Amino acid sequence: INALATMQPEFTTFHDKWGEGRLVLVPGQDQHRRRFLFAASIALEGFNAVLRHTLAESLLISLSIAAIFSFFAWLWARLLTRPLTRLTTAISQMVRGELDGTPQRGGTQELAMLAESFEAMRGVVRQKVEALRDSEERYRSLVENLGIGVALISPQMEILALNRQMRAWFPNVTTDARPLCFHAFNDPPRTETCSYCPVIKTFQDGEAHEAITETPQGGGIVNYRIVSSPVKDAAGRMQAVIEMVEDITLRNRMEEKLRASEQRFQIGRA
């Protein structure tokens, strides 16, 4: 036996009627310096079964730990992202102009503070928007109830908006189709812009202008006093022109009669 000769452990494989196995021979010496061998063997079939069972248990434990970790990671991520999702939804609603409601609070303290800050910001925005709406409503009511006409004209000379007085003077004009002002305000309609048009001058130089018109209407001539003013954006670019229209036909006729009466009086005195 080599193990006794070399005094080194020896490993070998055996095949017998009990099956296949591994054998280890460990040499040694007693106190009288007599050599001996310590032998140990294990059946590979049993060892493989134990090994397979151990590996299966290890894999099962690893999968269980991974599943538990994934669940808690998902739960933690959900707890963190749910408040952010709510805030994102609230921000989208605010962008759409939906300023009512309060975002639900939850999550960590930082997210709760963020939600409170957002709610305070939305409250300020809501107040500003409501104040702006009130101001716009007052302005709209004022414009609607003025005794003079107000029209909004585009750079293409299209009619964008009319107040109540203008709609009363021109009941057949609708702004939905954006008709051309020189076509819609004259009867018969013009095919070109009016020579005296103050709106064109305002578009050209950005200043206010005034003109007295002789507008064909209903088989006669109507005199309008038109004052045009520019409408500019925050960058100073011209967006449209507002024209304020006053019907001075009756006043002109009265002035003409007064002048004629004065002339007759002067002639009579002569």
Side-chain angles (χ1 to χ4, degrees), residues 147-205:
I148 62 174
V150 178
L152 185 66
I153 309 298
S154 76
Q156 292 74 36
M157 306 305 290
E158 299 169 330
I159 303 174
L160 302 179
L162 297 172
N163 75 337
R164 182 183 302 172
Q165 183 61 68
M166 290 294 285
R167 293 195 298 270
W169 286 337
F170 304 97
N172 296 325
V173 177
T174 58
T175 58
D176 295 338
R178 291 194 172 189
L180 299 174
C181 61
F182 55 83
H183 186 273
F185 289 155
N186 292 282
D187 184 18
R190 290 179 181 266
T191 58
E192 297 179 351
T193 57
C194 306
S195 59
Y196 52 79
C197 181
V199 174
I200 293 179
K201 297 178 181 179
T202 297
F203 275 123
Q204 290 173 346
D205 60 17

Side-chain angles (χ1 to χ4, degrees), residues 20-78:
E20 181 181 0
R22 294 283 292 174
L23 175 68
V24 59
L25 300 175
V26 180
Q29 289 182 341
D30 61 14
Q31 59 184 356
H32 301 293
R33 302 185 64 84
R34 290 176 294 188
R35 297 183 178 184
F36 64 88
L37 286 175
F38 175 79
S41 64
I42 184 173
L44 289 181
E45 183 177 354
F47 175 78
N48 289 337
V50 172
L51 181 61
R52 288 193 298 270
H53 179 71
T54 303
L55 289 175
E57 286 187 346
S58 299
L59 181 60
L60 180 61
I61 293 173
S62 299
L63 291 176
S64 299
I65 293 175
I68 293 172
F69 177 79
S70 299
F71 171 75
F72 280 104
W74 172 83
L75 183 61
W76 180 249
R78 185 172 178 80

